[in-house]
Amino acid sequence: MADTLLTVVVSQGQSRNPEKRDLEKAIADTCAQIPGINVLVIPHLYDLAFDSETYQKLRTIEGDMIVLAWLYDRAAHWVLDRNAIRGQVGEVFLLPADYQADEDEDEEEEAADEKDRVSELNPRPNRMVYCIDLRASEDSTAFVLEVKRIAAIAATNLLQARPELSQWIQGTPTPDNLLRYLNPVSSVQASDTIQASATDSLYSLFGVNELTKVEEHPTRRWYPVIDFSRCTNCMECIDFCLFGVYGVDTAETILVEQPDNCRKGCPACSRVCPENAIIFPQHKTPAIAGAPVEVGGLKIDLSKLFGAPEANEDALQVAARERDEQLILAGRQAVGEVRTKSNSAPKSGQPKDALDNLIDQLDSLDL
């Protein structure tokens, strides 16, 4: 069988830290020895331009993909997505020690939130993209075992697609079922060793492996990445940003149109997003960098999670201050208060001002 199981992509760190480089090399070299797996070593995902050699090469890959990067898995997935490397989110078992997603999050969202998400309106391809955070372990073996686990799933899926298998195996065969079908032995011949190596033997049936390294030297970048599984296309970000970073496509869907217009170190637009859909992968605050809302099993107040001080300053006030700082640095005039759709209405009992009346008039026009 000449099928390639999947492609393993190792995204190198931005620094030349020797320990990181050793870990990356150990993972790449070991995975390249697994039959049926192609390994691609690339520069840091976040720094690469859309038309870079790396992304052009990645866009030619059609099958399942495992991407190991020095980023939160959510951030890595949507960095790839904005560069037209798209697919479904693959479940990963190897996670950083302090990484604990909210187990009730999906149930709560289904019960309380029926908003249309951009990813639902524009479905991604059926192929799987597994993103693994390289900060999850210092031991390359842990990553190789996770790659092998995912490879066994990919092998099972490919073998199920073979017509000759469907004639003999009913239901949903496991890797062990398929191995016994392809390599039948009597119960006397069967041994614990054979059963233990079932998964390894299964994906060894597939094509020839190779290791390729893309040599590019991008400079460090800073720009927002949109998580379209959360984004509702509300346009708060494009209304807030005054640096021309955001735009819309032909379907009137929000996008990061001019990423390099973003002011380095400024995450202000992420604070005004009502759906927590804007990620700055290199930000020091985990939630802004793409971590789950629940970290270490503790629920955290979102305003504090996004860096708001303990004083009477909420996330919108922080966003306004950060934006004003960048405007002044750019030689422009500060704007001040943040007006969003959620806070533009006057509070109960307070009279409307001229701006409120103007907004009401515009709304009445139904433009």
Side-chain angles (χ1 to χ4, degrees):
M1 175 176 289
D3 295 292
T4 296
L5 276 180
L6 44 78
T7 301
V8 172
V9 179
V10 179
S11 174
Q12 295 181 307
Q14 292 174 317
S15 70
R16 296 183 180 277
N17 183 308
E19 293 181 355
K20 288 186 176 182
R21 283 291 184 267
D22 288 346
L23 178 62
E24 295 159 359
K25 186 177 187 305
I27 294 170
D29 289 347
T30 307
C31 288
Q33 297 173 25
I34 303 173
I37 292 182
N38 290 332
V39 178
L40 187 63
V41 180
I42 65 172
H44 198 284
L45 283 175
Y46 183 62
D47 293 335
L48 292 163
F50 182 86
D51 59 355
S52 66
E53 178 188 349
T54 297
Y55 278 128
Q56 290 180 42
K57 191 172 186 66
L58 287 174
R59 284 193 283 271
T60 66
I61 300 171
E62 298 180 353
D64 292 352
M65 184 183 299
I66 300 175
V67 179
L68 300 102
W70 298 98
L71 296 170
Y72 287 109
D73 57 347
R74 175 176 162 237
H77 182 90
W78 293 105
V79 167
L80 291 165
D81 187 272
R82 79 171 301 277
N83 288 285
I85 316 299
R86 295 178 177 141
Q88 304 300 313
V89 178
E91 184 178 13
V92 172
F93 291 171
L94 180 61
L95 303 171
D98 62 348
Y99 187 114
Q100 183 173 340
D102 187 350
E103 295 180 355
D104 299 323
E105 187 179 50
D106 292 339
E107 296 180 5
E108 291 174 359
E109 285 185 357
E110 288 180 7
D113 185 4
E114 296 181 354
K115 298 176 183 177
D116 290 330
R117 308 290 172 172
V118 172
S119 61
E120 296 170 354
L121 300 175
N122 301 291
R124 270 48 183 171
N126 287 329
R127 63 99 169 256
M128 305 304 294
V129 178
Y130 301 86
C131 293
I132 304 176
D133 190 337
L134 282 168
R135 296 167 293 189
S137 177
E138 297 178 354
D139 183 2
S140 63
T141 303
F143 294 99
V144 173
L145 289 174
E146 179 68 354
V147 168
K148 287 185 174 183
R149 182 191 68 81
I150 295 170
I153 296 172
T156 303
N157 293 337
L158 280 174
L159 289 174
Q160 283 177 315
R162 289 176 59 183
E164 64 269 29
L165 289 181
S166 62
Q167 297 174 14
W168 297 94
I169 302 176
Q170 301 299 318
T172 304
T174 65
D176 286 357
N177 296 147
L178 290 168
L179 178 71
R180 284 193 292 271
Y181 167 74
L182 293 168
N183 299 284
V185 295
S186 68
S187 57
V188 176
Q189 293 174 299
S191 68
D192 291 340
T193 301
I194 292 177
Q195 294 302 318
S197 63
T199 298
D200 286 347
S201 299
L202 177 61
Y203 56 66
S204 70
L205 297 168
F206 297 89
V208 178
N209 55 299
E210 64 179 55
L211 190 156
T212 306
K213 184 174 182 179
V214 180
E215 294 288 354
E216 287 189 280
H217 304 282
T219 57
R220 295 195 181 191
R221 302 173 72 196
W222 177 274
Y223 59 88
V225 176
I226 301 173
D227 177 347
F228 286 113
S229 69
R230 298 189 182 194
C231 177
T232 60
N233 211 37
C234 70
M235 302 293 173
E236 293 280 14
C237 51
I238 197 171
D239 291 341
F240 173 81
C241 178
L242 301 179
F243 296 99
V245 173
Y246 295 95
V248 294
D249 62 17
T250 54
E252 296 297 315
T253 301
I254 191 70
L255 55 77
V256 178
E257 189 171 49
Q258 299 292 338
D260 295 321
N261 281 3
C262 191
R263 302 289 294 183
K264 186 176 180 180
C266 177
C269 58
S270 67
R271 304 184 195 277
V272 301
C273 177
E275 304 300 332
N276 187 18
I278 297 176
I279 302 168
F280 284 88
Q282 298 296 347
H283 198 274
K284 62 183 179 181
T285 303
I288 295 179
V293 173
E294 182 173 317
V295 180
L298 298 175
K299 292 281 188 178
I300 302 173
D301 177 66
L302 279 178
S303 67
K304 294 178 182 177
L305 190 65
F306 280 101
E310 296 290 340
N312 296 324
E313 187 178 33
D314 63 19
L316 292 181
Q317 291 173 318
V318 176
R321 173 167 50 77
E322 289 173 335
R323 181 178 63 180
D324 283 349
E325 289 171 356
Q326 296 302 324
L327 286 168
I328 292 170
L329 288 172
R332 297 165 62 180
Q333 187 174 356
V335 175
E337 182 183 2
V338 176
R339 282 280 189 172
T340 67
K341 296 179 179 66
S342 58
N343 76 352
S344 59
K347 295 181 180 179
S348 178
Q350 293 183 356
K352 294 185 177 182
D353 59 19
L355 179 58
D356 293 323
N357 291 327
L358 177 60
I359 292 173
D360 288 344
Q361 291 174 27
L362 291 172
D363 288 341
S364 68
L365 294 176
D366 193 25
L367 296 176

